[in-house]
Amino acid sequence: MSMILKNLTLAQIFPAVPRKPNLSCCGDTDFGNDGIPPNVEMHAFSGRGADQRDRMAAQQLGETMRLPARFIVIIFCGLLVGSPVIAQTAQTVELSTRTFWLGEVPNTMSVDPPFFDPGRIRWISKIMDADPVLKDTVIHVELALMPAGESVREEPDNYVPLGKDRLNPRYDVPGYRIFGYPAPLDNPTRPSNRLRYMPLFPGADFFVSCGVNNVREEIVLCVVYATYPPDDGIRLKARLYFPKDPATRPGYFREVAERMRDLLYCLDVTDHMVDVKKERPTLTGCRPDVNS
């Protein structure tokens, strides 16, 4: 015997949700309430003292519900206190025995050996870009692997003093001893593609190493290595890409070394902690002989 089913409407299959859904309830369909508050029937006490026991149960239930809420608030506040979002960012870095105020901590401080590049700090780079001496430099302030004073005064191994016959006049600078690679026996006047400038004036405490393209007759790169007098465990290094011929700027190497030191004196807050960004925004005139 066949059974005839009458047509059902969508409303009959999926009844309308009574009243307005409570959006504060769980809306996860896996729980089956879809935002509808559950209908929980409370146990009703009966017999002698039923009303009193009912009120006590309601009070205990309220305390039980409030306890987790207190813990949630405490935990949430604790997370906020330790949250990196609101934690203050370190403003200084320590290198050897000195502390420098940069406004941030570069990730290069975690390498071995550690160093920082002032030109990568935005507010410092703006000052360097406007500086006639530092605008074409890339500076590294690094932990010295040996006493910086020894490294800059030591004559280079495998180099020889260059005579006029092996030195292009464009690279000749008075006041320096200039070294280069030894010439091959079959070509004694062949120019060296490496130059090292060792200053003759006392207390200079820097030297310059340059790479030369002899085919194009230009210096590709020079690096100025200098000491930082407050700490012989720190070495300063300034890279100069495609600098002008040294003969046209005989005082340039010395200016770079001294200005580089001056910049670091301004950033050095070891003995007097200040906000350098606000106190000395020009980062010049900080050498002890200038301030004394």
Side-chain angles (χ1 to χ4, degrees):
M1 178 178 174
S2 63
M3 181 179 295
I4 301 176
L5 298 177
K6 68 176 183 178
N7 295 331
L8 298 177
T9 65
L10 188 62
Q12 290 173 310
I13 299 175
F14 299 103
V17 177
R19 297 185 302 276
K20 183 178 180 180
N22 185 353
L23 299 180
S24 65
C25 296
C26 178
D28 191 336
T29 55
D30 290 338
F31 287 92
N33 64 349
D34 290 329
I36 304 171
N39 182 16
V40 180
E41 182 178 355
M42 299 294 296
H43 174 78
F45 292 94
S46 60
R48 186 174 181 180
D51 292 341
Q52 183 179 2
R53 284 182 289 167
D54 188 58
R55 286 193 299 270
M56 291 178 63
Q59 183 178 0
Q60 292 174 358
L61 179 62
E63 290 296 329
T64 303
M65 296 300 291
R66 281 196 292 269
L67 190 60
R70 291 175 184 173
F71 276 109
I72 291 173
V73 171
I74 292 173
I75 294 172
F76 180 70
C77 292
L79 290 175
L80 287 179
V81 171
S83 172
V85 175
I86 62 176
Q88 291 186 350
T89 303
Q91 305 293 305
T92 61
V93 299
E94 293 184 3
L95 192 64
S96 190
T97 64
R98 311 303 293 180
T99 301
F100 300 95
W101 199 103
L102 304 179
E104 61 184 76
V105 178
N107 56 14
T108 53
M109 290 300 297
S110 60
V111 303
D112 187 23
F115 74 94
F116 64 86
D117 177 356
R120 291 189 178 184
I121 310 298
R122 181 173 299 180
W123 72 274
I124 300 178
S125 68
K126 292 181 180 179
I127 295 173
M128 292 177 60
D129 290 343
D131 189 286
V133 176
L134 298 181
K135 64 179 181 179
D136 296 322
T137 65
V138 176
I139 296 176
H140 280 189
V141 182
E142 58 189 19
L143 187 67
L145 298 179
M146 63 178 292
E150 293 181 16
S151 67
V152 299
R153 300 185 199 108
E154 195 173 51
E155 291 193 3
D157 293 333
N158 302 323
Y159 279 67
V160 296
L162 296 181
K164 300 294 183 181
D165 59 333
R166 296 193 59 217
L167 183 64
N168 191 318
R170 296 164 57 181
Y171 311 145
D172 193 9
V173 182
Y176 292 85
R177 288 178 298 164
I178 305 176
F179 296 81
Y181 286 151
L185 295 177
D186 59 345
N187 189 0
T189 61
R190 179 180 177 180
S192 174
N193 61 358
R194 298 292 303 177
L195 302 176
R196 177 171 289 202
Y197 295 83
M198 304 289 294
L200 294 172
F201 35 92
D205 283 344
F206 74 90
F207 76 87
V208 185
S209 178
C210 296
V212 181
N213 185 328
N214 288 313
V215 175
R216 301 177 60 177
E217 293 190 346
E218 65 178 1
I219 293 182
V220 178
L221 171 68
C222 286
V223 182
V224 180
Y225 297 90
T227 61
Y228 182 60
D231 189 338
D232 204 35
I234 295 175
R235 186 173 71 168
L236 310 183
K237 184 168 63 178
R239 295 201 300 270
L240 318 172
Y241 294 96
F242 298 98
K244 295 180 180 179
D245 292 339
T248 64
R249 300 179 66 180
Y252 181 55
F253 292 149
R254 184 173 185 173
E255 290 174 356
V256 169
E258 293 182 349
R259 182 67 185 96
M260 185 166 46
R261 289 190 184 115
D262 189 25
L263 177 74
L264 265 293
Y265 279 124
C266 291
L267 296 174
D268 194 329
V269 295
T270 306
D271 303 319
H272 179 50
M273 183 63 68
V274 296
D275 185 338
V276 173
K277 187 175 179 181
K278 297 178 181 178
E279 295 282 333
R280 294 177 294 214
T282 58
L283 300 184
T284 187
C286 298
R287 292 195 304 271
D289 58 331
V290 174
N291 293 333
S292 59

